[in-house]
Amino acid sequence: QVQLVESGGGLVQAGGSLRLSCAASGRTFSSLSMGWFRQAPGKAREFVTTISWSGGTAYYADSVKGRFTISRDNARNTVYLQMNSLKPEDTAVYYCAASSLRVGVSPYEYDYWGQGTQVTVSS
């Protein structure tokens, strides 16, 4: 079992930045691929970004490419999402997820989920 706890969400003005953190426990973090997804009200959960266990491979949704950066610190069992140049359409609940498989973009490829953290971007 893996427990994931997100933090760092909040309210920010358009153009601003936030950094989300996801702390993992319960299983060897360095063996897991990690991902971030988000879900806006009335919409399906969507892929944001993912990173391999080593940190050597990362993928981004087109909507966040160039603005968001995923990273991980295996010594601290934590994955981060740096979000810059935020837009109102980035408003959503952001979820951290862990997978024992290779990096993937579908939520069905992830075994464990955090409770989510709200990000609200005002115009």
Side-chain angles (χ1 to χ4, degrees), residues 37-56:
F37 290 77
R38 66 187 182 186
Q39 188 166 18
K43 295 188 176 182
R45 191 167 297 189
E46 67 170 353
F47 168 76
V48 176
T49 180
T50 183
I51 190 167
S52 62
W53 65 271
S54 67

Side-chain angles (χ1 to χ4, degrees), residues 11 16 20 23 31 37 41-43 46 51 56-57 60 63 65 67 69-72 75 91-92 100 105-106 111 117:
L11 174 63
L20 305 183
S31 69
F37 290 77
K43 295 188 176 182
E46 67 170 353
I51 190 167
T57 301
Y60 297 89
S63 59
K65 203 171 293 183
R67 301 188 297 122
T69 303
I70 190 171
S71 61
R72 65 189 297 160
T91 295
S100 57
V105 302
S106 168
D111 309 298
T117 186

